Amino acid sequence: GAVVSQHPSWVICKSGTSVKIECRSLDFQATTMFWYRQFPKQSLMLMATSNEGSKATYEQGVEKDKFLINHASLTLSTLTVTSAHPEDSSFYICSADGGYLNTGELFFGEGSRLTVL
Amino acid sequence: SQKIEQNSEALNIQEGKTATLTCNYTNYSPAYLQWYRQDPGRGPVFLLLIRENEKEKRKERLKVTFDTTLKQSLFHITASQPADSATYLCALEGGNNRLAFGKGNQVVVIP
């Protein structure tokens, strides 16, 4: 099946620094990728929809200047958390639209655990 | 407001029995509904998709029903095994092909 790779799987950083998370579709091209955030025992909250070659569409309440998304190619999207603060500590998960399979299925990465000290 | 509700209490079930989970939704008109499995510290893994014009879908030991009148989906795991222990997420098509997720329901299968 389709594979989505996310890196790093965990990262610890100091408050005020920026962190970049990569999401790659390994064996298919994804014109659309999605970024989610999940707090403990909570649902996945969609942060933004990333389309290759165009600006990301952010969900209400998500600061686009804080969470920078770049979808430069059909296999790579990046999320940069700028000037991270402890409240940004969370589990960030990307998914890619496997639309070519015509199943509606989303393929998820393994997630990136961000801890901001 | 829009809501997707799954039972917050873990379902403890004896091995071999059928586990049944419920997903209720409000103020959505989803074209399809999906179920995912999520293990601790991992990303969700797709299990099944059921469309609005389908009543039931099966895949191996899994069965999903979708009642658009009741605005409810039931997810069944038959002949449950300890390896089925995980959190199961209900997800709805929330417009523009975006998925909205419930909080998930944990299943613990007791050997």
Side-chain angles (χ1 to χ4, degrees):
Chain A
V3 177
V4 173
S5 171
Q6 205 171 323
H7 178 82
S9 55
W10 59 270
V11 57
I12 301 172
C13 71
K14 291 183 179 179
S15 187
T17 60
S18 294
V19 174
K20 181 187 282 189
I21 300 169
E22 291 187 349
C23 179
R24 294 181 185 273
S25 56
L26 296 187
D27 51 1
F28 68 103
Q29 293 182 332
T31 53
T32 305
M33 289 187 175
F34 302 89
W35 286 95
Y36 292 84
R37 181 166 53 180
Q38 187 178 34
F39 292 104
K41 297 194 182 297
Q42 298 298 312
S43 59
L44 278 75
M45 297 301 297
L46 180 64
M47 298 175 67
T49 302
S50 165
N51 294 299
E52 185 266 337
S54 64
K55 290 183 179 179
T57 303
Y58 289 80
E59 295 298 302
Q60 194 172 11
V62 178
E63 298 175 59
K64 62 180 181 181
D65 294 329
K66 181 168 183 62
F67 299 100
L68 301 178
I69 291 172
N70 188 325
H71 194 156
S73 75
L74 287 171
T75 59
L76 173 65
S77 177
T78 60
L79 167 68
T80 301
V81 183
T82 62
S83 187
H85 287 98
E87 58 265 30
D88 298 324
S89 299
S90 188
F91 192 51
Y92 292 87
I93 312 174
C94 72
S95 68
D97 184 355
Y100 79 108
L101 294 176
N102 198 30
T103 63
E105 175 181 352
L106 285 183
F107 300 96
F108 282 84
E110 288 294 345
S112 299
R113 173 79 56 195
L114 170 63
T115 301
V116 184
L117 302 177
Chain B
S1 62
Q2 293 179 315
K3 288 183 186 176
I4 303 172
E5 294 176 305
Q6 294 186 255
N7 198 335
S8 57
E9 289 186 20
L11 175 66
N12 295 308
I13 190 160
Q14 206 71 37
E15 182 176 5
K17 300 290 186 184
T18 297
T20 298
L21 306 180
T22 304
C23 174
N24 294 301
Y25 59 91
T26 308
N27 291 327
Y28 282 99
S29 297
Y32 55 82
L33 183 148
Q34 302 184 14
W35 284 87
Y36 287 79
R37 169 184 173 140
Q38 187 175 24
D39 290 285
R42 309 292 293 271
V45 174
F46 172 81
L47 296 175
L48 280 165
L49 177 151
I50 186 165
R51 299 191 185 278
E52 59 180 338
N53 60 346
E54 298 175 311
K55 291 270 191 259
E56 181 180 297
K57 206 82 168 279
R58 291 175 186 260
K59 179 182 174 183
E60 297 173 355
R61 293 183 295 109
L62 306 179
K63 185 179 87 170
V64 170
T65 63
F66 191 11
D67 189 324
T68 55
T69 302
L70 289 179
K71 296 187 183 299
Q72 180 181 82
S73 174
L74 299 179
F75 175 81
H76 307 272
I77 307 172
T78 58
S80 57
Q81 303 168 0
D84 296 326
S85 298
T87 295
Y88 292 87
L89 309 176
C90 167
L92 306 181
E93 185 270 327
N96 294 323
N97 284 322
R98 287 147 54 233
L99 274 187
F101 284 82
K103 289 184 181 181
N105 197 176
Q106 185 184 7
V107 172
V108 178
V109 181
I110 304 162

